[in-house]
Amino acid sequence: QVISPEKTEPTVSPEGIQTELDEEMENDICKVWDMSMDEDVALFLQEFNAPDIFMGVFAKSKCPRLTEICVGILGNMACFQDICMSISKDENLGQVLLQRLCDSDSPTLLETSRLLLTCLSQPEVANVWVERIRENPSVYDCVCFIMSSSTNVDLLVKVGEVVDKLFDLDEELMLNWIKNGTCRSVGPSADDSPEELPDFKIVPCILEAAKQVRSDNPEGLDVYMHILQLLTTVDEGIQAIVQAPDGGKDTWSLLYDLVCHELCQPDDPPIIVQEQKTVLASILSVLSAMFASQTEQEYTKMRKSKLCFFLFYMPLIGSLIRILQYMEGCGRRSVDNSKESEQEETGRADVNEEDFHLKILKDICCELLSNMLQELTKENTLEGLHQGHLNEQTCSCAFQNLLPLYFASVESFLEVLREADQTLADNLEKRFPSLKVHA
């Protein structure tokens, strides 16, 4: 009734485009939206051919609120496996839903993203959607457009979760999106006329979204950092980061700022590393991949500059050591807690999972720290000592965590340290006899 040409009650704009739902109608259909979270109601809606009705709404409606509610109802219905399979196997409906990603209405985009994430999270139908998205190039452009231009944090987080899930499910799709950005596609426009989108590249879009969510949504930042980490699992992804027009400086600067100025700070309690372990692991993993890359881009030349090393690398080394110190504190607390609850089985699996994630963070942290220590010169080390990033306590923590696996890196750094501060080097040799014996 609402979308039929004979209907005249809804508010109509001067151009004749329906923009608002009648209040009573909106209340009624919102009740259906709420009730659709119940499986019996969802099954009834399916039997009543609700998905087909919604297809008609998507094709004819000029009312964003109506479209949003209908997509939202489908999203609730898709939470149930049998209905999700039915929705997913409907090729026409699938294509129409993907077209909703080109909508200009943020609430509709949010509900569409929620629906896609729900379907991608069900193993029985995930491949159907991955294949459908892979064959639909406009999805890439619409997603990049949202990540690069939206200021709606909830929408950015949900779209990020969709991208994260897609990349995790299908490396081929991730590679396609990394290589994409060379062609233009039809995107959203106010009057439904074709509109060319910018020539998007995936990395700048991810960075822009991450900057938008970083202050308001820690979970969203975690999602976008994990997307970047997934990119670094393939050579093409690393190159896409470090061979960007800015030489990877935007990526490095954002990640550096997060580690050195936001996460796991000196005035935080050590337990903060438990809360931030996954986002820290993702960030350090990307930094490590960038650092290890042999590309001759500008950020690599930046590494050779003494001034930039003082400004960017020594604080990062200090932050890495602080993370290791905090993990040691958490480790001692974990041991104490395990002694107190030795006879309690409840929650032990969760503790083991926490230990596993902390171990991953420690491994990544140690790898990056060892690589960075090998780059230090006498001048760099003197500056680090002067700035307080290096002292006997921090060096001891670094050695404790790096030995014996990264013996060569520690030995290399110790040789440089002898030139900068012989007394400190001697003290460290006394604390770690294996270094003195080897020397």
Side-chain angles (χ1 to χ4, degrees):
Q1 289 177 349
V2 172
I3 63 173
S4 63
E6 293 78 18
K7 186 73 176 178
T8 57
E9 279 118 352
T11 303
V12 177
S13 71
E15 296 80 12
I17 300 176
Q18 176 185 317
T19 58
E20 294 181 12
L21 272 176
D22 172 84
E23 184 178 351
E24 184 178 351
M25 173 64 75
E26 181 173 351
N27 289 336
D28 286 345
I29 198 168
C30 279
K31 289 177 184 175
V32 178
W33 190 1
D34 291 339
M35 290 190 297
S36 63
M37 290 189 294
D38 182 277
E39 186 171 8
D40 289 336
V41 175
L43 288 169
F44 171 78
L45 288 171
Q46 184 186 28
E47 292 171 6
F48 197 70
N49 296 323
D52 291 338
I53 295 173
F54 297 153
M55 284 260 296
V57 171
F58 300 148
K60 298 179 182 180
S61 173
K62 299 297 181 181
C63 176
R65 178 61 171 159
L66 179 62
T67 304
E68 173 205 353
I69 295 170
C70 292
V71 177
I73 294 173
L74 274 178
N76 284 350
M77 293 171 65
C79 293
F80 306 106
Q81 184 178 331
D82 290 344
I83 301 176
C84 185
M85 291 181 68
S86 175
I87 292 173
S88 301
K89 289 177 181 178
D90 187 329
E91 187 62 30
N92 291 332
L93 181 57
Q95 293 298 334
V96 167
L97 288 172
L98 290 184
Q99 290 172 12
R100 291 297 97 211
L101 286 174
C102 294
D103 206 296
S104 58
D105 180 58
S106 290
T108 299
L109 288 170
L110 177 60
E111 291 307 318
T112 304
S113 302
R114 184 174 73 88
L115 170 57
L116 289 176
L117 184 63
T118 299
C119 295
L120 288 168
S121 300
Q122 301 222 17
E124 298 80 9
V125 299
N127 289 340
V128 174
W129 285 98
V130 169
E131 185 65 28
R132 189 173 285 148
I133 291 169
R134 192 191 297 136
E135 293 175 355
N136 195 328
S138 67
V139 173
Y140 169 86
D141 284 322
C142 292
V143 167
C144 285
F145 181 79
I146 294 168
M147 291 193 297
S148 63
S149 62
S150 178
T151 57
N152 185 317
V153 171
D154 291 337
L155 172 59
L156 287 171
V157 173
K158 195 58 65 178
V159 167
E161 289 175 346
V162 171
V163 174
D164 189 40
K165 192 68 176 177
L166 282 170
F167 286 3
D168 196 36
L169 286 170
D170 193 81
E171 186 176 292
E172 181 184 344
L173 183 142
M174 181 172 73
L175 286 169
N176 289 342
W177 282 25
I178 291 170
K179 298 171 186 175
N180 216 324
T182 57
C183 60
R184 300 175 186 271
S185 304
V186 175
S189 64
D191 57 359
D192 286 342
S193 60
E195 176 185 334
E196 281 194 341
L197 290 174
D199 190 15
F200 289 117
K201 298 291 186 182
I202 190 69
V203 173
C205 296
I206 293 169
L207 293 179
E208 188 59 38
K211 292 172 187 176
Q212 284 288 337
V213 305
R214 63 184 288 187
S215 301
D216 299 321
N217 196 301
E219 292 78 13
L221 180 64
D222 200 342
V223 168
Y224 279 98
M225 293 302 100
H226 190 254
I227 295 172
L228 281 177
Q229 182 184 2
L230 287 174
L231 291 183
T232 64
T233 60
V234 294
D235 289 338
E236 293 86 347
I238 297 174
Q239 297 309 310
I241 292 172
V242 300
Q243 290 184 353
D246 65 353
K249 285 196 294 186
D250 273 358
T251 305
W252 183 274
S253 297
L254 173 63
L255 302 187
Y256 165 87
D257 195 39
L258 288 169
V259 173
C260 295
H261 299 137
E262 278 193 30
L263 302 172
C264 208
Q265 294 301 291
D267 55 349
D268 289 328
I271 196 67
I272 194 71
V273 78
Q274 283 278 14
E275 180 183 330
Q276 298 174 350
K277 57 184 177 292
T278 56
V279 68
L280 280 170
S282 295
I283 292 172
L284 296 183
S285 181
V286 177
L287 288 173
S288 185
M290 292 180 70
F291 194 90
S293 173
Q294 297 304 306
T295 180
E296 293 300 323
Q297 297 301 307
E298 188 177 352
Y299 99 92
T300 309
K301 297 173 186 175
M302 179 182 73
R303 189 173 72 182
K304 307 294 185 183
S305 163
K306 293 179 183 178
L307 177 61
C308 287
F309 202 102
F310 297 157
L311 293 176
F312 293 104
Y313 281 67
M314 286 312 306
L316 183 53
I317 287 175
S319 294
L320 292 173
I321 295 174
R322 181 169 61 251
I323 291 169
L324 290 172
Q325 289 174 319
Y326 282 10
M327 280 193 285
E328 287 180 352
C330 286
R332 286 192 293 270
R333 177 170 175 167
S334 178
V335 169
D336 293 339
N337 289 342
S338 64
K339 288 179 180 178
E340 292 175 9
S341 59
E342 208 168 71
Q343 298 176 348
E344 295 181 13
E345 293 297 329
T346 307
R348 189 154 298 180
D350 293 336
V351 171
N352 289 338
E353 186 176 348
E354 283 187 0
D355 291 345
F356 174 73
H357 287 297
L358 282 175
K359 183 181 184 304
I360 290 175
L361 174 57
K362 179 182 177 181
D363 290 345
I364 296 170
C365 192
C366 286
E367 180 182 6
L368 178 55
L369 179 60
S370 70
N371 288 335
M372 296 189 77
L373 289 179
Q374 285 185 310
E375 295 286 335
L376 290 176
T377 64
K378 177 183 176 181
E379 291 77 13
N380 304 149
T381 304
L382 284 170
E383 184 66 20
L385 292 167
H386 176 70
Q387 295 291 339
H389 298 299
L390 297 177
N391 53 47
E392 186 168 346
Q393 182 184 12
T394 58
C395 289
S396 295
C397 176
F399 287 15
Q400 182 70 39
N401 285 278
L402 293 177
L403 293 172
L405 185 60
Y406 297 100
F407 188 94
S409 296
V410 173
E411 189 178 41
S412 171
F413 169 63
L414 191 59
E415 289 178 9
V416 174
L417 189 60
R418 283 194 190 97
E419 299 177 24
D421 190 330
Q422 181 68 51
T423 302
L424 176 55
D426 291 342
N427 290 341
L428 288 169
E429 279 188 338
K430 291 176 184 177
R431 296 189 66 169
F432 299 90
S434 60
L435 292 170
K436 190 172 184 178
V437 170
H438 194 271

